[in-house]
């Protein structure tokens, strides 16, 4: 008898979406799913929406997106300090 193969669940996440431990954070602007990235898995550069500076490949950062159905389409890569300070930004600046 041949060994059984494990069946993989179909994922609703798009191909290339990082997998890992997500945590849900509650903020005054809603609930957000947040995932910390070590940088070892990042292959390209991103632009932080908080400071408009580049997050270079290999640099630790986080990914955040709204905690609602379809919210993963809104995910953004942030510096950890920019994410924590995003509500302190002045008027006229987007908070996400």
């Amino acid at each position: 008898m041949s060994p059984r193969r494990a069946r993989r669940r179909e994922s609703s996440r798009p191909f290339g979406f990082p997998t890992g431990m997500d945590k849900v954070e509650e903020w005054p602007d809603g609930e957000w799913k947040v995932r910390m990235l070590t940088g070892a898995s990042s292959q390209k550069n991103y632009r932080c929406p908080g400071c408009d500076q580049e997050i270079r490949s290999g640099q630790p950062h986080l990914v955040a997106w709204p905690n609602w159905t379809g919210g993963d389409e809104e995910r953004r890569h942030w510096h950890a300090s920019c994410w924590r300070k995003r509500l302190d930004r002045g008027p006229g600046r987007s908070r996400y």
Side-chain angles (χ1 to χ4, degrees):
M1 185 186 272
S2 63
R4 295 177 67 186
R5 289 184 176 227
R7 292 185 184 177
R8 294 184 184 189
R9 288 186 294 164
E10 291 295 320
S11 175
S12 62
R13 293 180 176 176
F15 180 74
F17 190 85
T19 58
M21 297 298 290
D22 303 336
K23 64 180 180 174
V24 176
E25 295 183 2
E26 287 190 36
W27 288 80
D29 60 347
E31 284 189 354
W32 298 88
K33 286 189 180 178
V34 178
R35 178 179 300 140
M36 298 298 294
L37 300 176
T38 61
S41 62
S42 59
Q43 302 285 322
K44 65 182 211 177
N45 297 337
Y46 298 97
R47 183 145 317 262
C48 174
C51 64
D52 202 33
Q53 299 296 312
E54 194 173 75
I55 301 172
R56 298 190 184 270
S57 62
Q59 184 179 3
H61 63 282
L62 61 86
V63 179
W65 63 98
N67 188 23
W68 64 63
T69 304
D72 55 346
E73 299 293 325
E74 302 293 324
R75 66 183 181 270
R76 301 288 182 267
H77 294 254
W78 292 75
H79 293 110
S81 60
C82 294
W83 173 251
R84 288 189 306 269
K85 295 178 182 180
R86 77 185 190 288
L87 298 178
D88 297 335
R89 294 165 51 178
R93 297 275 316 254
S94 170
R95 292 190 173 161
Y96 191 69

